[in-house]
């Protein structure tokens, strides 16, 4: 009888130990799953924050760069106007300002591109397309502003020559300006095309 009782106790003890071990193992698995889940949530949150933060900085730089680009275009138009009016001193000032604003816009577009490329490392599928549009737009803007700066420099050189009466040298600068003008127009059109894609993505008309 004692032997049977002892065996029952041993069986029950073994069952209890087995249950405790299984429970402990399940608890460990649950904690492991919880840690993995929390890590994934934290990673996603951190990734979203980094994407949003870098994209916000990029868009801020784009706004500032566009303002400088408008100033550059305005001064470039003024340079051409003063050239037609044969006001070469005014042409000199406007072309110098145009070169400055094109150069400044180029630098700021470059900073915007840096943050757009960083954003690309943290983006999710839904935002890949719009990010691609912004990157293409900014690359076009970088090419446009670099070309615009060179055009302005040639106009500025021409104004110096015209002020000193060196018409042949001025003509040579105008030829260089004309060669760049076609390239400038191509980059401008590419920029506009990318801007339309961005507006279409957001459902903006016009």
């Amino acid at each position: 009888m004692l032997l049977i009782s002892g065996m029952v106790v041993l069986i029950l003890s073994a069952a209890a130990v087995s249950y405790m071990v299984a429970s402990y193992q399940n608890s460990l698995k649950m904690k492991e799953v919880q840690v993995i889940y929390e890590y994934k949530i934290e990673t996603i949150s951190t990734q979203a924050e980094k994407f949003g933060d870098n994209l916000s900085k990029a868009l801020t730089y784009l706004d500032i760069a566009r303002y400088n680009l408008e100033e550059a275009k305005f001064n470039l138009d003024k340079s051409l106007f003063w050239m037609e009016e044969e006001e070469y001193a005014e042409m000199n000032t406007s072309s110098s300002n145009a070169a400055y604003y094109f150069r400044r816009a180029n630098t700021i577009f470059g900073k915007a591109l840096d943050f757009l490329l960083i954003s690309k490392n943290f983006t999710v599928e839904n935002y890949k397309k719009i990010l691609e549009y912004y990157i293409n737009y900014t690359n076009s803007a970088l090419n446009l502003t670099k070309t615009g700066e060179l055009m302005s420099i040639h106009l500025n050189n021409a104004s110096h020559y015209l002020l000193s009466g060196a018409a042949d040298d001025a003509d040579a600068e105008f030829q260089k300006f004309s060669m760049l003008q076609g390239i400038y127009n191509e980059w401008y059109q590419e920029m506009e095309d990318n801007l339309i894609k961005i507006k279409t993505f957001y459902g903006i008309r016009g």
Side-chain angles (χ1 to χ4, degrees), residues 62-79:
L62 282 177
D63 283 341
I64 298 169
R66 278 195 290 261
Y67 167 78
N68 282 273
L69 176 56
E70 289 304 313
E71 289 294 311
K73 288 159 61 180
F74 174 67
N75 278 282
L76 182 62
D77 288 342
K78 280 175 66 177
S79 300

Side-chain angles (χ1 to χ4, degrees), residues 171-185:
D171 284 340
E173 293 296 329
F174 285 134
Q175 287 177 15
K176 293 174 185 176
F177 170 85
S178 296
M179 288 175 62
L180 288 170
Q181 199 167 22
I183 299 170
Y184 176 89
N185 291 335

Side-chain angles (χ1 to χ4, degrees), residues 93-152:
T93 301
S94 296
S95 57
S96 179
N97 289 339
Y100 166 79
Y101 281 112
F102 274 122
R103 184 164 52 250
R104 180 170 166 76
N106 184 271
T107 300
I108 301 171
F109 274 122
K111 290 180 180 179
L113 182 62
D114 288 341
F115 283 107
L116 287 170
L117 293 175
I118 294 171
S119 298
K120 196 174 180 181
N121 296 326
F122 304 105
T123 189
V124 292
E125 192 65 35
N126 293 348
Y127 293 100
K128 282 184 178 179
K129 186 57 69 175
I130 186 62
L131 200 55
E132 180 186 333
Y133 294 154
Y134 274 121
I135 289 171
N136 291 341
Y137 173 85
T138 307
N139 277 322
S140 300
L142 284 167
N143 288 316
L144 176 84
T145 49
K146 186 61 183 175
T147 307
E149 181 188 356
L150 292 173
M151 289 168 63
S152 303

